[in-house]
Amino acid sequence: MVILKILIFMVVIALVSYLELKKMKSKDMKKEMTIYSVFIVISASFFIMELMEIEVINPLEGIKVVFEPIGRSVERMLSKGG
């Protein structure tokens, strides 16, 4: 069933992308075509991973690991000064 959902999704994405890229090409929008294609590939990849129940790493966890210690340090410095 998952394979069928992925196949339907890919057909819809291919059709929509074909129509959009055709419009962009006629207006000579090469930069926009590149950006559109990159975002479509990235978003389609994440959606397919979600359908296949593959756990996707949350980027906020990495940010939290980096900035939490910094926040605690700043908080300690401010509490000592006041």
Side-chain angles (χ1 to χ4, degrees):
M1 189 65 179
V2 173
I3 301 293
L4 181 62
K5 288 180 184 179
I6 292 172
L7 186 61
I8 292 170
F9 173 71
M10 294 304 291
V11 167
V12 170
I13 289 295
L15 180 64
V16 170
S17 293
Y18 173 76
L19 296 173
E20 286 297 320
L21 291 171
K22 187 176 173 183
K23 279 191 244 177
M24 287 183 207
K25 188 175 182 181
S26 69
K27 295 179 183 178
D28 198 35
M29 302 170 74
K30 292 181 182 177
K31 291 178 189 174
E32 290 82 356
M33 288 171 62
T34 303
I35 293 170
Y36 175 83
S37 298
V38 167
F39 279 118
I40 285 292
V41 167
I42 291 170
S43 61
S45 300
F46 278 117
F47 184 74
I48 290 170
M49 286 191 284
E50 183 72 29
L51 281 178
M52 296 175 68
E53 297 179 4
I54 296 173
E55 187 156 341
V56 179
I57 298 171
N58 185 350
L60 290 178
E61 291 299 319
I63 293 170
K64 184 178 173 183
V65 167
V66 171
F67 286 105
E68 227 173 45
I70 295 170
R72 285 193 297 260
S73 299
V74 169
E75 191 175 317
R76 275 192 301 248
M77 285 191 293
L78 293 175
S79 65
K80 287 180 184 177

